[in-house]
């Protein structure tokens, strides 16, 4: 077990970890800079698609403070890769100046076209617009023409073609693959194996749990679409289980597993690391409180309402 003599030593350890905001947190360069300034080592931008998407209509995010769970059906609203590219070119060095990395999340649009993944990845690296390209293969509850678009990583053939496309576009540069919350060992093993075999630097697990349903205290549906992606605290046992299964799969490889889900305070981040993840990401807690950057400081230092990760590492070790 690794021990830490004081918070300074724990903070030095945390500073070396890959951790930060998850995909979906922001598509605003100004907020991205604020997250870097707050100490986030990874600042995710996007997800971004090849063409612009309006996203799903209506009010499509809800956070329940009683449970720490959230539900969303945003539908990847964004202006498209070509609109964001000039902003990202300027944003990357600014993020880097604060000791952070800019990760750009890309996703399929109305249909799954592997070539779009390749072209977006190649473009982002060619223009030095991202440190890491993170390919989202797992976004549920996307509605197109009144029909739900399938989740890519539930189709192993499509998933592999998508991973190969990103790998070709990256051409040796670091990329991440985001997968769905899958706890069936054989399927998870296949997803991990494909990502590793094609050179993924990171596997991000997990996206939201599709087709969840939540209600507000008054009994009305929490979001306009009714069903959507469940996240927040409900993901904690799922992601910890994934971490424990994935860790031995990655032994002897260069690929790292980043736990995404349920991180709302320092102890949550500690559990993700304790259960085998190489790093962690978070979104629900930022989205629930208007994207306030001080939430990030709170996770690490415990300055608002809870104990921070650094203090817990000193107390418990890892």
């Amino acid at each position: 077990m690794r021990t830490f003599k004081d918070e300074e030593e724990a903070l030095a350890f945390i500073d070396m970890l890959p951790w930060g905001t998850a995909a979906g947190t922001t598509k605003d360069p100004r907020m991205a800079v604020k997250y870097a300034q707050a100490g986030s080592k990874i600042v995710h931008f996007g997800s971004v698609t090849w063409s612009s998407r309006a996203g799903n209509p209506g009010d499509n995010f809800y956070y329940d403070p009683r449970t720490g769970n959230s539900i969303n059906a945003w539908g990847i609203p964004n202006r498209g890769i070509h609109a964001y590219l000039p902003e990202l070119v300027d944003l990357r060095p600014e993020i880097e100046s604060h000791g952070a990395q800019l990760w750009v999340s890309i996703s399929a649009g109305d249909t799954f076209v592997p070539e779009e993944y390749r072209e977006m990845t190649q473009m982002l690296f060619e223009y030095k617009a991202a440190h890491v390209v993170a390919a989202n293969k797992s976004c549920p509850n996307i509605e197109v023409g009144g029909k739900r678009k399938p989740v890519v990583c539930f189709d192993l053939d499509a998933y592999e073609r998508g991973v190969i496309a990103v790998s070709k576009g990256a051409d040796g540069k670091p990329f991440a693959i985001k997968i769905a919350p899958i706890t069936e060992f054989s399927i998870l093993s296949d997803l991990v194996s494909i990502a590793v075999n094609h050179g993924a630097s990171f596997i991000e697990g997990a996206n939201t749990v599709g087709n969840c349903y939540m209600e507000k205290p008054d009994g009305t549906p929490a979001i306009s679409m009714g069903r959507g992606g469940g996240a927040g605290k409900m993901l904690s046992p799922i992601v910890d289980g994934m971490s424990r299964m994935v860790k031995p799969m990655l032994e002897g490889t260069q690929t790292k597993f980043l736990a995404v889900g349920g991180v709302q305070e320092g102890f949550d981040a500690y559990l993700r690391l304790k259960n085998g993840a190489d790093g962690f990401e978070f979104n629900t807690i930022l989205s629930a409180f208007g994207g306030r950057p001080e939430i990030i400081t709170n996770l690490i230092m415990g300055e608002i309402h809870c104990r921070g990760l650094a203090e817990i590492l000193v107390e418990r070790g890892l």
Side-chain angles (χ1 to χ4, degrees):
M1 183 180 78
R2 177 163 185 169
T3 58
F4 303 87
K5 64 181 180 182
D6 53 32
E7 285 195 6
E8 183 177 354
E9 187 174 293
L11 285 169
F13 169 75
I14 295 168
D15 194 55
M16 299 298 292
L17 295 174
W19 67 271
T21 65
T25 305
T26 188
K27 300 180 184 78
D28 181 348
R30 294 169 299 177
M31 287 306 300
V33 171
K34 289 182 179 180
Y35 294 147
Q37 290 172 332
S40 184
K41 307 307 294 183
I42 294 170
V43 177
H44 255 99
F45 192 98
S47 292
V48 174
T49 56
W50 180 258
S51 301
S52 62
R53 293 196 87 253
N56 295 322
D59 183 9
N60 278 309
F61 175 80
Y62 178 76
Y63 174 74
D64 186 345
R66 299 167 301 175
T67 62
N69 295 328
S70 70
I71 187 170
N72 84 78
W74 285 310
I76 320 181
N78 73 100
R79 293 184 283 124
I81 188 71
H82 296 89
Y84 288 115
L85 190 61
E87 298 175 5
L88 293 170
V89 169
D90 292 336
L91 181 60
R92 174 181 156 159
E94 189 165 4
I95 294 292
E96 190 173 2
S97 73
H98 296 290
Q101 286 191 336
L102 177 63
W103 288 32
V104 179
S105 175
I106 60 174
S107 186
D110 289 353
T111 58
F112 172 66
V113 182
E115 185 65 12
E116 288 182 356
Y117 279 104
R118 186 196 66 76
E119 290 188 18
M120 285 191 285
T121 302
Q122 184 174 329
M123 186 185 303
L124 287 164
F125 282 130
E126 181 180 341
Y127 286 91
K128 294 183 171 61
H131 292 93
V132 175
V133 173
N136 187 345
K137 307 291 185 183
S138 51
C139 217
N141 298 98
I142 301 294
E143 190 168 284
V144 180
K147 296 182 179 180
R148 298 291 177 98
K149 190 178 72 175
V151 177
V152 176
C153 67
F154 289 121
D155 179 337
L156 283 179
D157 177 65
Y159 170 78
E160 183 160 29
R161 286 187 285 119
V163 173
I164 290 172
V166 177
S167 180
K168 287 181 177 178
D171 192 24
K173 298 180 180 65
F175 68 92
I177 299 295
K178 189 169 189 178
I179 61 176
I182 293 173
T183 53
E184 167 53 49
F185 182 85
S186 61
I187 299 174
L188 181 60
S189 178
D190 285 341
L191 294 175
V192 170
S193 178
I194 289 168
V196 169
N197 289 344
H198 294 292
S201 303
F202 303 92
I203 296 172
E204 299 171 294
N207 210 314
T208 56
V209 181
N211 295 309
C212 290
Y213 179 78
M214 289 171 57
E215 291 185 348
K216 298 177 181 178
D218 64 5
T220 60
I223 59 174
S224 298
M225 281 186 69
R227 289 180 291 125
K233 290 288 190 178
M234 71 169 71
L235 280 173
S236 293
I238 297 172
V239 173
D240 282 340
M242 292 176 70
S243 297
R244 285 178 167 268
M245 287 187 284
V246 170
K247 184 175 182 178
M249 298 178 193
L250 296 182
E251 287 182 3
T253 77
Q254 298 299 309
T255 307
K256 297 184 182 299
F257 183 74
L258 303 187
V260 191
V263 177
Q264 299 186 13
E265 56 186 343
F267 191 69
D268 300 321
Y270 171 76
L271 288 177
R272 301 301 91 85
L273 298 173
K274 177 179 180 289
N275 283 299
D278 297 297
F280 57 90
E281 299 173 12
F282 44 88
N283 182 341
T284 288
I285 192 65
L286 282 169
S287 297
F289 291 96
R292 288 162 36 195
E294 58 264 35
I295 296 293
I296 297 171
T297 306
N298 186 47
L299 282 169
I300 305 303
M301 297 300 296
E303 294 180 356
I304 299 176
H305 69 273
C306 69
R307 300 172 67 205
L309 174 59
E311 180 184 353
I312 294 167
L313 285 174
V314 173
E315 177 185 292
R316 293 175 174 250
L318 190 64

